[in-house]
Amino acid sequence: MTDEQKKIYTEDVIIQSIRTSPGTDVPEGFAERVMQGLEPRRPSVWKRLRLWLIRPQVMTFRPMTVIPAVTLAMALIALAVINNDTPAPDRTAAMTSVRFVLHDAGQQARNVSVIGSFNKWRAERSVMWYDPEARAWVLEAKLPPGDHEYLFLVNGRELVPDPQAPMTRDDGFGNRNSILFVNGDDEQAL
Amino acid sequence: MKEEREADIVRKVLLGDVQAFGLLVREYQRPVYNLMIRMVGDEDKAADLAQDAFTRAYDKLESFKPGRRFFPWLYSVSLNIARDWLRADGRDRLVFVEDASVMARQEDTPDEQDTLHARLDGAKAFDIVLTLDPKYREALILRYRYDFTMQEIARTLETSVSGAKMRISRGLDMVRQKFDGGVI
């Protein structure tokens, strides 16, 4: 094991220990004790009015009132499209199909997601599915050209770099992110 | 969206629904209580301070900005309660004050086998995290346990974003050095 590998491995253990350390249970009846000590607020009329004004609004529409407005909006959009000589760039044409694969022969993981710069590191946007034939977690996605950093999030808590990624990058916080290069030519499998 | 739900709860509390605040207490009592244990090291005192933290959060609720997440704001309030107690108790160790440089002590390099055992021991790793100066320890916990953004960590610990990044990086370095003698 090289010094760099030791460093990465140790930091993985540290980060994992922070994520999973159980902590101490709250004493019984704690929330009730907190609540007993609180007095209800008595907001002024002005404060009530201000809070009423900033409340979340639920808007309902009746079809008969919406149809004329929608018709007008569509007419304006059509007019804008007709007057616009320069066609909008087709973003989807520049996208390349990519397949993320994380091998897991015994299906040890309960769930796996891909998180990365292309989905703002949000796990819920790129949930992988388990392919029993490939014995791996798989996700197909379309990505724009460029280099993208990513990691696998296993069981919602463990960050795993892609063992098959040809390159990784230090994120500056002790983690190694895998790097995926998309050149825009044809499908890329990882 | 959780933020929207919490903003709605805060609004109800501000309109006089004190029981709605109980939802926030039950949601966040564990992390706040555990923060206090880390800060003061005594479970009874930690429970008192955690209660003070929720009481102060209730009193200051109007200063919470609805567009933001509630937990980082609550954590910030809780940290201030802990700091106040440490100062009043004469235990203020200048925690959270930025220093110009941190020289982590070089440990004797353990032999390879000991190092390997230590690495595999996550509980030991977290024990080392708990020995860090609070400004590094809390930065690591906010980042890796509670998934705070850098901006949220900076706001909570009252530092800049680059300061927050530095604390996380140095915190990891210090823990790692205690593990294996510091391969940097």
Side-chain angles (χ1 to χ4, degrees):
Chain A
M1 214 185 243
T2 65
D3 284 351
E4 183 63 15
Q5 286 171 325
K6 282 181 190 173
K7 177 181 171 180
I8 293 164
Y9 183 77
T10 305
E11 289 190 351
D12 284 347
V13 171
I14 295 163
I15 290 165
Q16 191 60 15
S17 79
I18 295 169
R19 282 194 191 285
T20 58
S21 65
T24 308
D25 289 340
V26 178
E28 192 115 358
F30 173 81
E32 290 71 21
R33 277 204 304 282
V34 171
M35 295 307 293
Q36 280 167 9
L38 303 180
E39 292 291 324
R41 294 173 128 79
R42 308 210 184 287
S44 65
V45 173
W46 291 115
K47 200 164 282 176
R48 282 180 171 278
L49 180 64
R50 190 174 63 81
L51 289 165
W52 182 82
L53 287 171
I54 62 167
R55 78 197 189 287
Q57 301 281 347
V58 178
M59 301 177 84
T60 54
F61 298 102
R62 286 194 297 274
M64 289 311 293
T65 59
V66 173
I67 288 168
V70 170
T71 307
L72 179 63
M74 288 178 73
L76 289 171
I77 290 166
L79 197 63
V81 168
I82 290 164
N83 289 340
N84 190 353
D85 292 335
T86 53
D90 184 4
R91 283 182 53 83
T92 55
M95 300 289 232
T96 299
S97 293
V98 171
R99 185 180 299 133
F100 294 95
V101 179
L102 179 64
H103 291 286
D104 179 9
Q107 200 177 348
Q108 304 287 322
R110 291 191 306 280
N111 56 68
V112 184
S113 301
V114 184
I115 60 171
S117 50
F118 44 82
N119 63 8
K120 299 190 175 171
W121 305 92
R122 301 285 293 271
E124 65 274 15
R125 296 185 185 181
S126 303
V127 179
M128 302 176 84
W129 55 279
Y130 189 75
D131 180 349
E133 285 183 24
R135 300 205 297 180
W137 295 87
V138 177
L139 178 74
E140 292 180 359
K142 286 191 178 294
L143 296 181
D147 59 327
H148 305 279
E149 294 187 34
Y150 69 100
L151 290 166
F152 295 120
L153 181 67
V154 179
N155 296 336
R157 54 173 38 174
E158 190 180 351
L159 291 169
V160 179
D162 186 348
Q164 299 181 84
M167 285 191 67
T168 61
R169 182 180 294 158
D170 192 330
D171 70 352
F173 307 110
N175 295 321
R176 308 288 307 177
N177 295 338
S178 304
I179 306 285
L180 163 65
F181 293 105
V182 175
N183 59 20
D185 288 346
D186 41 28
E187 181 172 301
Q188 309 195 6
L190 300 171
Chain B
M1 281 295 289
K2 196 173 180 181
E3 286 99 278
E4 288 168 9
R5 177 178 150 266
E6 289 181 343
D8 195 43
I9 290 169
V10 168
R11 212 182 117 263
K12 284 177 179 163
V13 176
L14 292 174
L15 282 167
D17 181 358
V18 67
Q19 290 310 314
F21 193 72
L23 297 169
L24 298 172
V25 175
R26 279 181 277 278
E27 176 84 14
Y28 296 118
Q29 57 184 349
R30 189 181 177 93
V32 170
Y33 174 64
N34 275 271
L35 165 66
M36 294 309 182
I37 287 179
R38 290 194 299 273
M39 293 300 284
V40 305
D42 174 81
E43 292 191 4
D44 290 338
K45 177 46 69 179
D48 290 345
L49 291 176
Q51 182 168 350
D52 291 349
F54 280 109
T55 304
R56 188 181 289 186
Y58 180 81
D59 292 341
K60 292 179 55 168
L61 203 55
E62 283 176 6
S63 67
F64 169 67
K65 293 186 173 66
R68 291 182 178 169
R69 291 201 306 151
F70 181 77
F71 184 40
W73 179 81
L74 175 65
Y75 211 92
S76 205
V77 170
S78 305
L79 269 175
N80 283 327
I81 290 280
R83 283 179 193 142
D84 291 349
W85 183 82
L86 288 168
R87 275 191 211 105
D89 200 55
R91 302 184 192 197
D92 185 7
R93 294 175 295 151
L94 293 176
V95 293
F96 303 102
V97 176
E98 294 293 356
D99 45 9
S101 65
V102 175
M103 297 299 294
R105 200 174 66 249
Q106 286 282 344
E107 303 285 327
D108 292 335
T109 306
D111 64 41
E112 192 67 26
Q113 194 173 8
D114 287 351
T115 304
L116 197 61
H117 283 307
R119 283 212 187 92
L120 294 170
D121 189 350
K124 183 182 174 182
F126 192 65
D127 286 344
I128 296 172
V129 170
L130 293 178
T131 65
L132 293 179
D133 187 303
K135 63 173 177 261
Y136 300 107
R137 181 191 70 212
E138 292 309 312
L140 290 175
I141 288 171
L142 293 179
R143 177 70 177 149
Y144 296 118
R145 180 179 293 178
Y146 299 127
D147 295 322
F148 276 33
T149 65
M150 284 300 157
Q151 286 82 359
E152 286 172 336
I153 295 170
R155 267 199 300 269
T156 303
L157 300 182
E158 295 175 0
T159 184
S160 61
V161 169
S162 59
K165 289 178 180 176
M166 181 275 291
R167 289 182 186 191
I168 289 164
S169 175
R170 283 201 178 155
L172 279 172
D173 279 348
M174 285 187 277
V175 178
R176 193 165 40 75
Q177 287 186 344
K178 289 188 178 183
F179 252 84
D180 57 16
V183 182
I184 301 175

